[in-house]
Amino acid sequence: MSIKSILDHKISRKSFIRGMPAVAAAMAAAPAIQLAQTSAAVASEPETKPGYYGAPRTWMWNPNANTMVDTTKWKKAGPYTIGFSNASISNAWRVAFQHGVLWSAGQHRDEIAHLLVTDANDDPSKQIADIQDLISQGVDILLIAASTEDALDSVVGRATEQGIPVVMVDRKVKTPANYITYVTASDWALGRLEAQWLCETLGGKGNIVMLPGIAGSSVAEIRIKANEEVFSKFPDIKVLEKQYCDWNPATGKSVMAALIQKHGKAINGVLADSALQGYGAIEAFLDAGYKDGEFPPMTGGDVARMYQLANQHNIKMVGIDYPTSMGITGIETALDVLKGISVPDKVEVSFQVVTSPGADTISVKGDRHLLDHVSMSDPGDLSPSNGLPAGYNPSTFNPDYPK
Amino acid sequence: MSAITVDLRRNRLMLSYLIVAVLLVVLAVAGGLLSDRFLTWRNIGNLFQQLIVLGMVSLGQTFVVLMGGIDLAIGSLVGALTVFLANFLEWRPDLVWLALPLALVAATAVGALNGLLTVVLRVHPLIVTLGMSSIIFGATLMYRKEPGGSVPRAFADIAYAKVGGIPFSAVVLVVIFALAGLWLQRTRTGRSIYFVGGDREAARLNGLPVDRIVVLAYALSGLCAGIAAIFLTARTGVGDPRIGAALTLQSVTPVVVGGTILAGGRGGVLGTFLGVLLVTMLNSLLNFVNVSSYYQWVIQGLIIIIAVGIHTTRRR
């Protein structure tokens, strides 16, 4: 992306090449160029925290060719009407995710005339009707978080056939030909990073327990496979147990309590793929009488409470959130498509690698420390990787967006 | 039953229809004012395309409610049938001609079994059908937990196809409703559903085969669920055990909104049809004005309660 293209298309905040360092450098080096609009956008950037804001790492570091989708055939003049069909807002993650979509649309008022939002309450049948309603309303593009991969496949394909571009976000449908691109985060990278960190922290030797999410869900199973790729490189790392915890704090706590009963201090490390069961596990250690400094190193991510507990009890951890900020990226990707800017066939947003102080390993270095990521006063179920302005509180946040 | 009472009842029903019809017009006008795209042919076509599934399960529910029962197994049955259809058609896409009748027969049989159980065991239909719902749901999950299967494109088209600009599914729905209405009014068996619903003992004393009529009403509800499942499978292209979960309660809304009395014996399919239109249009309108679907739930709940309230009060 050149300065020219920035001037042509007011740079979308973290658009696919999210706040590309080269752009920032070029802007700093060329103060004569008055980028009033752009600097206004930068000024409203909430993210002054330490961290990684570059292009998606899986895209940059992909040792193979990235598949870029030419979107010139979808290019049209704005302002646009965007239809957003959400699967539901039935948990804290989904609420923060939707807030990201709405807020991002509000940041792009000059390009977006209307953002029409529907919520399917996790009912695929309703979501099909929702999508048809959005099409009837003449949307220029659809941004869809599918409630199920299969049941929405057909209606999404028919939208594309009718000439309406579709960008999937968070959850896709089965057939890639039915949509342009899919905004997500890499569960493979997440699983490898967490396992690599844990193995290196233990010096390549020790007993660990795995606390994955929901059995059979693709997210949980991919993360497990990625973990196992890493374990296969460390012959002295022994997996004592693998018990699914349904991404549920109560289950995480009771499973961990049973494992502590069974193995006691033989547990040298805990690999939880999310803080949802991760903070439950910390509570189990607390109940079992573990003192600060005695906790085994742990992994997690997604909600503030685990980071807060880890800080409070001096637990070595690495946390990687499945970022709700992909809602923001979703709107930006949709705008790119309508402006005819190429997009990769899969947009994997970067996550922040969060470590407790001194917990960096040779391969896994934190982008930020615990207290850069959350504050002790944040609500426990806050999703920290929301990309929203500082002080974001899901229960009071009411973004203004073009309705 | 004197001619005058019949007349009063008919008027009462007409009044129900009129209320729903007025509400429909109000909604349509409100929609037209709130969004310039709501009253376009495109959206009206789209609305009619969405009618079939809710329409069919509500029609089934109408038969059962008129007869004095309730069918709470509809949702699970539809879910199970979508699983059957999608998996069968994935295995043998060429056997559509066999899969569809099989699904309809199975659906009718499950419905008839519901009826038989209420008749033989004399257990309240609420319990029988709720139990059946649980059995079907559990059995389906044993077979398949996740949505799966697939359907051939030609089959999927029945849900999206249009005949002269009108959605094919809407044509099917209108024809079935018209036939059902005629059957209920003009045939001896159809009318006896009203008799059984009005006063089961009186019907028995009059020599009507009450038990058979009860079984018939539930069987028809099953058949309707079968037709709904066919269109739903075509629409989604997969079998999903959970997809019908919301349908059970949803099937009751148009019935009561349309003036059919939950105690049985009074009402009709025209009211149900208007009720289906109303619910579908309302949900669509709320989408158009960007209202959270939580409100859609609240409003649907309010409509049910108010509708039943109005009909009950007027009866006094």
PDB file of all heavy atoms in Angstrom, chain A residues 116-143:
ATOM      1  N   LEU A 116     -27.118  -2.509   8.601  1.00  0.00           N
ATOM      2  CA  LEU A 116     -28.338  -3.183   9.029  1.00  0.00           C
ATOM      3  C   LEU A 116     -27.919  -4.449   9.770  1.00  0.00           C
ATOM      4  O   LEU A 116     -27.152  -5.252   9.254  1.00  0.00           O
ATOM      5  CB  LEU A 116     -29.206  -3.526   7.822  1.00  0.00           C
ATOM      6  CG  LEU A 116     -29.447  -2.359   6.857  1.00  0.00           C
ATOM      7  CD1 LEU A 116     -30.158  -2.840   5.608  1.00  0.00           C
ATOM      8  CD2 LEU A 116     -30.248  -1.263   7.550  1.00  0.00           C
ATOM      9  N   VAL A 117     -28.420  -4.594  10.988  1.00  0.00           N
ATOM     10  CA  VAL A 117     -27.956  -5.688  11.848  1.00  0.00           C
ATOM     11  C   VAL A 117     -29.098  -6.640  12.153  1.00  0.00           C
ATOM     12  O   VAL A 117     -30.194  -6.199  12.519  1.00  0.00           O
ATOM     13  CB  VAL A 117     -27.405  -5.113  13.171  1.00  0.00           C
ATOM     14  CG1 VAL A 117     -26.853  -6.228  14.040  1.00  0.00           C
ATOM     15  CG2 VAL A 117     -26.333  -4.079  12.898  1.00  0.00           C
ATOM     16  N   THR A 118     -28.869  -7.938  11.986  1.00  0.00           N
ATOM     17  CA  THR A 118     -29.861  -8.913  12.447  1.00  0.00           C
ATOM     18  C   THR A 118     -29.177  -9.898  13.393  1.00  0.00           C
ATOM     19  O   THR A 118     -27.971 -10.100  13.336  1.00  0.00           O
ATOM     20  CB  THR A 118     -30.473  -9.717  11.276  1.00  0.00           C
ATOM     21  OG1 THR A 118     -29.439 -10.451  10.627  1.00  0.00           O
ATOM     22  CG2 THR A 118     -31.143  -8.799  10.271  1.00  0.00           C
ATOM     23  N   ASP A 119     -29.972 -10.486  14.245  1.00  0.00           N
ATOM     24  CA  ASP A 119     -29.456 -11.403  15.261  1.00  0.00           C
ATOM     25  C   ASP A 119     -30.308 -12.665  15.213  1.00  0.00           C
ATOM     26  O   ASP A 119     -31.513 -12.610  15.397  1.00  0.00           O
ATOM     27  CB  ASP A 119     -29.556 -10.710  16.619  1.00  0.00           C
ATOM     28  CG  ASP A 119     -29.393 -11.667  17.783  1.00  0.00           C
ATOM     29  OD1 ASP A 119     -28.994 -12.820  17.557  1.00  0.00           O
ATOM     30  OD2 ASP A 119     -29.675 -11.256  18.922  1.00  0.00           O
ATOM     31  N   ALA A 120     -29.687 -13.792  14.936  1.00  0.00           N
ATOM     32  CA  ALA A 120     -30.457 -15.018  14.692  1.00  0.00           C
ATOM     33  C   ALA A 120     -30.708 -15.847  15.948  1.00  0.00           C
ATOM     34  O   ALA A 120     -31.302 -16.919  15.854  1.00  0.00           O
ATOM     35  CB  ALA A 120     -29.745 -15.874  13.654  1.00  0.00           C
ATOM     36  N   ASN A 121     -30.266 -15.380  17.102  1.00  0.00           N
ATOM     37  CA  ASN A 121     -30.490 -16.167  18.320  1.00  0.00           C
ATOM     38  C   ASN A 121     -30.007 -17.602  18.181  1.00  0.00           C
ATOM     39  O   ASN A 121     -30.649 -18.524  18.698  1.00  0.00           O
ATOM     40  CB  ASN A 121     -31.982 -16.210  18.647  1.00  0.00           C
ATOM     41  CG  ASN A 121     -32.403 -15.021  19.450  1.00  0.00           C
ATOM     42  OD1 ASN A 121     -31.708 -14.634  20.394  1.00  0.00           O
ATOM     43  ND2 ASN A 121     -33.503 -14.410  19.057  1.00  0.00           N
ATOM     44  N   ASP A 122     -28.906 -17.812  17.486  1.00  0.00           N
ATOM     45  CA  ASP A 122     -28.345 -19.151  17.270  1.00  0.00           C
ATOM     46  C   ASP A 122     -29.277 -20.084  16.506  1.00  0.00           C
ATOM     47  O   ASP A 122     -29.087 -21.297  16.544  1.00  0.00           O
ATOM     48  CB  ASP A 122     -27.940 -19.820  18.603  1.00  0.00           C
ATOM     49  CG  ASP A 122     -26.796 -19.086  19.283  1.00  0.00           C
ATOM     50  OD1 ASP A 122     -25.818 -18.775  18.590  1.00  0.00           O
ATOM     51  OD2 ASP A 122     -26.881 -18.822  20.500  1.00  0.00           O
ATOM     52  N   ASP A 123     -30.290 -19.551  15.834  1.00  0.00           N
ATOM     53  CA  ASP A 123     -31.254 -20.377  15.111  1.00  0.00           C
ATOM     54  C   ASP A 123     -30.964 -20.254  13.609  1.00  0.00           C
ATOM     55  O   ASP A 123     -31.222 -19.221  13.006  1.00  0.00           O
ATOM     56  CB  ASP A 123     -32.664 -19.875  15.460  1.00  0.00           C
ATOM     57  CG  ASP A 123     -33.754 -20.591  14.674  1.00  0.00           C
ATOM     58  OD1 ASP A 123     -33.415 -21.428  13.809  1.00  0.00           O
ATOM     59  OD2 ASP A 123     -34.938 -20.311  14.922  1.00  0.00           O
ATOM     60  N   PRO A 124     -30.408 -21.329  12.990  1.00  0.00           N
ATOM     61  CA  PRO A 124     -30.030 -21.223  11.573  1.00  0.00           C
ATOM     62  C   PRO A 124     -31.220 -20.901  10.682  1.00  0.00           C
ATOM     63  O   PRO A 124     -31.100 -20.195   9.691  1.00  0.00           O
ATOM     64  CB  PRO A 124     -29.455 -22.606  11.242  1.00  0.00           C
ATOM     65  CG  PRO A 124     -29.790 -23.488  12.380  1.00  0.00           C
ATOM     66  CD  PRO A 124     -30.062 -22.633  13.568  1.00  0.00           C
ATOM     67  N   SER A 125     -32.388 -21.410  11.057  1.00  0.00           N
ATOM     68  CA  SER A 125     -33.565 -21.179  10.252  1.00  0.00           C
ATOM     69  C   SER A 125     -33.907 -19.689  10.237  1.00  0.00           C
ATOM     70  O   SER A 125     -34.227 -19.106   9.202  1.00  0.00           O
ATOM     71  CB  SER A 125     -34.695 -22.000  10.860  1.00  0.00           C
ATOM     72  OG  SER A 125     -35.791 -21.944  10.073  1.00  0.00           O
ATOM     73  N   LYS A 126     -33.806 -19.057  11.395  1.00  0.00           N
ATOM     74  CA  LYS A 126     -34.058 -17.613  11.459  1.00  0.00           C
ATOM     75  C   LYS A 126     -32.974 -16.863  10.708  1.00  0.00           C
ATOM     76  O   LYS A 126     -33.245 -15.865  10.046  1.00  0.00           O
ATOM     77  CB  LYS A 126     -34.126 -17.142  12.917  1.00  0.00           C
ATOM     78  CG  LYS A 126     -34.312 -15.628  13.006  1.00  0.00           C
ATOM     79  CD  LYS A 126     -34.638 -15.155  14.412  1.00  0.00           C
ATOM     80  CE  LYS A 126     -34.984 -13.682  14.468  1.00  0.00           C
ATOM     81  NZ  LYS A 126     -34.087 -12.783  13.782  1.00  0.00           N
ATOM     82  N   GLN A 127     -31.750 -17.368  10.792  1.00  0.00           N
ATOM     83  CA  GLN A 127     -30.667 -16.634  10.119  1.00  0.00           C
ATOM     84  C   GLN A 127     -30.855 -16.645   8.602  1.00  0.00           C
ATOM     85  O   GLN A 127     -30.532 -15.671   7.932  1.00  0.00           O
ATOM     86  CB  GLN A 127     -29.296 -17.206  10.505  1.00  0.00           C
ATOM     87  CG  GLN A 127     -28.183 -16.239  10.093  1.00  0.00           C
ATOM     88  CD  GLN A 127     -26.849 -16.544  10.712  1.00  0.00           C
ATOM     89  OE1 GLN A 127     -26.610 -17.638  11.224  1.00  0.00           O
ATOM     90  NE2 GLN A 127     -25.939 -15.579  10.667  1.00  0.00           N
ATOM     91  N   ILE A 128     -31.390 -17.725   8.066  1.00  0.00           N
ATOM     92  CA  ILE A 128     -31.662 -17.758   6.624  1.00  0.00           C
ATOM     93  C   ILE A 128     -32.663 -16.660   6.266  1.00  0.00           C
ATOM     94  O   ILE A 128     -32.465 -15.890   5.327  1.00  0.00           O
ATOM     95  CB  ILE A 128     -32.193 -19.147   6.210  1.00  0.00           C
ATOM     96  CG1 ILE A 128     -31.084 -20.187   6.353  1.00  0.00           C
ATOM     97  CG2 ILE A 128     -32.698 -19.114   4.766  1.00  0.00           C
ATOM     98  CD1 ILE A 128     -31.549 -21.610   6.155  1.00  0.00           C
ATOM     99  N   ALA A 129     -33.740 -16.571   7.059  1.00  0.00           N
ATOM    100  CA  ALA A 129     -34.733 -15.519   6.809  1.00  0.00           C
ATOM    101  C   ALA A 129     -34.098 -14.138   6.980  1.00  0.00           C
ATOM    102  O   ALA A 129     -34.361 -13.224   6.196  1.00  0.00           O
ATOM    103  CB  ALA A 129     -35.914 -15.686   7.762  1.00  0.00           C
ATOM    104  N   ASP A 130     -33.255 -14.001   8.005  1.00  0.00           N
ATOM    105  CA  ASP A 130     -32.570 -12.715   8.236  1.00  0.00           C
ATOM    106  C   ASP A 130     -31.777 -12.297   6.997  1.00  0.00           C
ATOM    107  O   ASP A 130     -31.823 -11.148   6.574  1.00  0.00           O
ATOM    108  CB  ASP A 130     -31.585 -12.829   9.408  1.00  0.00           C
ATOM    109  CG  ASP A 130     -32.278 -12.926  10.759  1.00  0.00           C
ATOM    110  OD1 ASP A 130     -33.492 -12.669  10.814  1.00  0.00           O
ATOM    111  OD2 ASP A 130     -31.594 -13.246  11.750  1.00  0.00           O
ATOM    112  N   ILE A 131     -31.035 -13.261   6.454  1.00  0.00           N
ATOM    113  CA  ILE A 131     -30.184 -12.942   5.301  1.00  0.00           C
ATOM    114  C   ILE A 131     -31.054 -12.558   4.110  1.00  0.00           C
ATOM    115  O   ILE A 131     -30.767 -11.596   3.389  1.00  0.00           O
ATOM    116  CB  ILE A 131     -29.248 -14.131   4.981  1.00  0.00           C
ATOM    117  CG1 ILE A 131     -28.218 -14.284   6.098  1.00  0.00           C
ATOM    118  CG2 ILE A 131     -28.547 -13.935   3.633  1.00  0.00           C
ATOM    119  CD1 ILE A 131     -27.377 -15.545   6.015  1.00  0.00           C
ATOM    120  N   GLN A 132     -32.165 -13.277   3.933  1.00  0.00           N
ATOM    121  CA  GLN A 132     -33.066 -12.922   2.831  1.00  0.00           C
ATOM    122  C   GLN A 132     -33.658 -11.522   3.041  1.00  0.00           C
ATOM    123  O   GLN A 132     -33.810 -10.763   2.087  1.00  0.00           O
ATOM    124  CB  GLN A 132     -34.169 -13.966   2.707  1.00  0.00           C
ATOM    125  CG  GLN A 132     -33.623 -15.297   2.196  1.00  0.00           C
ATOM    126  CD  GLN A 132     -34.696 -16.345   2.061  1.00  0.00           C
ATOM    127  OE1 GLN A 132     -35.634 -16.375   2.844  1.00  0.00           O
ATOM    128  NE2 GLN A 132     -34.558 -17.209   1.083  1.00  0.00           N
ATOM    129  N   ASP A 133     -33.988 -11.207   4.289  1.00  0.00           N
ATOM    130  CA  ASP A 133     -34.500  -9.862   4.580  1.00  0.00           C
ATOM    131  C   ASP A 133     -33.458  -8.809   4.240  1.00  0.00           C
ATOM    132  O   ASP A 133     -33.774  -7.771   3.664  1.00  0.00           O
ATOM    133  CB  ASP A 133     -34.878  -9.734   6.065  1.00  0.00           C
ATOM    134  CG  ASP A 133     -36.196 -10.420   6.393  1.00  0.00           C
ATOM    135  OD1 ASP A 133     -36.902 -10.814   5.443  1.00  0.00           O
ATOM    136  OD2 ASP A 133     -36.518 -10.553   7.578  1.00  0.00           O
ATOM    137  N   LEU A 134     -32.216  -9.073   4.617  1.00  0.00           N
ATOM    138  CA  LEU A 134     -31.149  -8.100   4.342  1.00  0.00           C
ATOM    139  C   LEU A 134     -30.983  -7.918   2.829  1.00  0.00           C
ATOM    140  O   LEU A 134     -30.819  -6.799   2.349  1.00  0.00           O
ATOM    141  CB  LEU A 134     -29.829  -8.560   4.971  1.00  0.00           C
ATOM    142  CG  LEU A 134     -29.777  -8.488   6.506  1.00  0.00           C
ATOM    143  CD1 LEU A 134     -28.498  -9.136   7.032  1.00  0.00           C
ATOM    144  CD2 LEU A 134     -29.864  -7.048   6.992  1.00  0.00           C
ATOM    145  N   ILE A 135     -31.062  -9.032   2.099  1.00  0.00           N
ATOM    146  CA  ILE A 135     -30.945  -8.931   0.645  1.00  0.00           C
ATOM    147  C   ILE A 135     -32.100  -8.099   0.086  1.00  0.00           C
ATOM    148  O   ILE A 135     -31.908  -7.231  -0.764  1.00  0.00           O
ATOM    149  CB  ILE A 135     -30.914 -10.338   0.000  1.00  0.00           C
ATOM    150  CG1 ILE A 135     -29.643 -11.080   0.423  1.00  0.00           C
ATOM    151  CG2 ILE A 135     -30.976 -10.238  -1.524  1.00  0.00           C
ATOM    152  CD1 ILE A 135     -29.597 -12.538  -0.006  1.00  0.00           C
ATOM    153  N   SER A 136     -33.309  -8.328   0.609  1.00  0.00           N
ATOM    154  CA  SER A 136     -34.463  -7.544   0.159  1.00  0.00           C
ATOM    155  C   SER A 136     -34.267  -6.060   0.405  1.00  0.00           C
ATOM    156  O   SER A 136     -34.856  -5.230  -0.257  1.00  0.00           O
ATOM    157  CB  SER A 136     -35.719  -7.947   0.914  1.00  0.00           C
ATOM    158  OG  SER A 136     -36.050  -9.242   0.639  1.00  0.00           O
ATOM    159  N   GLN A 137     -33.502  -5.753   1.417  1.00  0.00           N
ATOM    160  CA  GLN A 137     -33.284  -4.350   1.732  1.00  0.00           C
ATOM    161  C   GLN A 137     -32.195  -3.736   0.869  1.00  0.00           C
ATOM    162  O   GLN A 137     -31.814  -2.590   1.082  1.00  0.00           O
ATOM    163  CB  GLN A 137     -32.938  -4.186   3.211  1.00  0.00           C
ATOM    164  CG  GLN A 137     -34.081  -4.549   4.112  1.00  0.00           C
ATOM    165  CD  GLN A 137     -33.774  -4.226   5.557  1.00  0.00           C
ATOM    166  OE1 GLN A 137     -33.745  -3.088   5.959  1.00  0.00           O
ATOM    167  NE2 GLN A 137     -33.514  -5.241   6.340  1.00  0.00           N
ATOM    168  N   GLY A 138     -31.709  -4.511  -0.069  1.00  0.00           N
ATOM    169  CA  GLY A 138     -30.782  -3.955  -1.040  1.00  0.00           C
ATOM    170  C   GLY A 138     -29.395  -3.667  -0.497  1.00  0.00           C
ATOM    171  O   GLY A 138     -28.781  -2.664  -0.861  1.00  0.00           O
ATOM    172  N   VAL A 139     -28.873  -4.556   0.366  1.00  0.00           N
ATOM    173  CA  VAL A 139     -27.524  -4.317   0.890  1.00  0.00           C
ATOM    174  C   VAL A 139     -26.482  -4.452  -0.226  1.00  0.00           C
ATOM    175  O   VAL A 139     -26.681  -5.181  -1.190  1.00  0.00           O
ATOM    176  CB  VAL A 139     -27.178  -5.295   2.041  1.00  0.00           C
ATOM    177  CG1 VAL A 139     -28.076  -5.030   3.231  1.00  0.00           C
ATOM    178  CG2 VAL A 139     -27.290  -6.736   1.582  1.00  0.00           C
ATOM    179  N   ASP A 140     -25.389  -3.714  -0.082  1.00  0.00           N
ATOM    180  CA  ASP A 140     -24.307  -3.798  -1.068  1.00  0.00           C
ATOM    181  C   ASP A 140     -23.385  -4.964  -0.765  1.00  0.00           C
ATOM    182  O   ASP A 140     -22.697  -5.476  -1.647  1.00  0.00           O
ATOM    183  CB  ASP A 140     -23.492  -2.502  -1.057  1.00  0.00           C
ATOM    184  CG  ASP A 140     -24.334  -1.316  -1.472  1.00  0.00           C
ATOM    185  OD1 ASP A 140     -24.966  -1.406  -2.540  1.00  0.00           O
ATOM    186  OD2 ASP A 140     -24.377  -0.319  -0.732  1.00  0.00           O
ATOM    187  N   ILE A 141     -23.324  -5.353   0.483  1.00  0.00           N
ATOM    188  CA  ILE A 141     -22.451  -6.466   0.873  1.00  0.00           C
ATOM    189  C   ILE A 141     -23.016  -7.083   2.140  1.00  0.00           C
ATOM    190  O   ILE A 141     -23.701  -6.409   2.923  1.00  0.00           O
ATOM    191  CB  ILE A 141     -21.001  -5.973   1.092  1.00  0.00           C
ATOM    192  CG1 ILE A 141     -20.020  -7.141   1.145  1.00  0.00           C
ATOM    193  CG2 ILE A 141     -20.881  -5.119   2.363  1.00  0.00           C
ATOM    194  CD1 ILE A 141     -18.571  -6.736   1.002  1.00  0.00           C
ATOM    195  N   LEU A 142     -22.767  -8.366   2.316  1.00  0.00           N
ATOM    196  CA  LEU A 142     -23.205  -9.047   3.532  1.00  0.00           C
ATOM    197  C   LEU A 142     -21.993  -9.442   4.359  1.00  0.00           C
ATOM    198  O   LEU A 142     -21.015  -9.981   3.827  1.00  0.00           O
ATOM    199  CB  LEU A 142     -23.995 -10.316   3.176  1.00  0.00           C
ATOM    200  CG  LEU A 142     -25.444 -10.119   2.725  1.00  0.00           C
ATOM    201  CD1 LEU A 142     -25.962 -11.398   2.059  1.00  0.00           C
ATOM    202  CD2 LEU A 142     -26.329  -9.759   3.916  1.00  0.00           C
ATOM    203  N   LEU A 143     -22.065  -9.160   5.640  1.00  0.00           N
ATOM    204  CA  LEU A 143     -21.060  -9.616   6.595  1.00  0.00           C
ATOM    205  C   LEU A 143     -21.785 -10.621   7.481  1.00  0.00           C
ATOM    206  O   LEU A 143     -22.766 -10.274   8.131  1.00  0.00           O
ATOM    207  CB  LEU A 143     -20.551  -8.417   7.403  1.00  0.00           C
ATOM    208  CG  LEU A 143     -19.479  -8.666   8.449  1.00  0.00           C
ATOM    209  CD1 LEU A 143     -18.187  -9.122   7.788  1.00  0.00           C
ATOM    210  CD2 LEU A 143     -19.215  -7.399   9.264  1.00  0.00           C
TER     211      LEU A 143
END
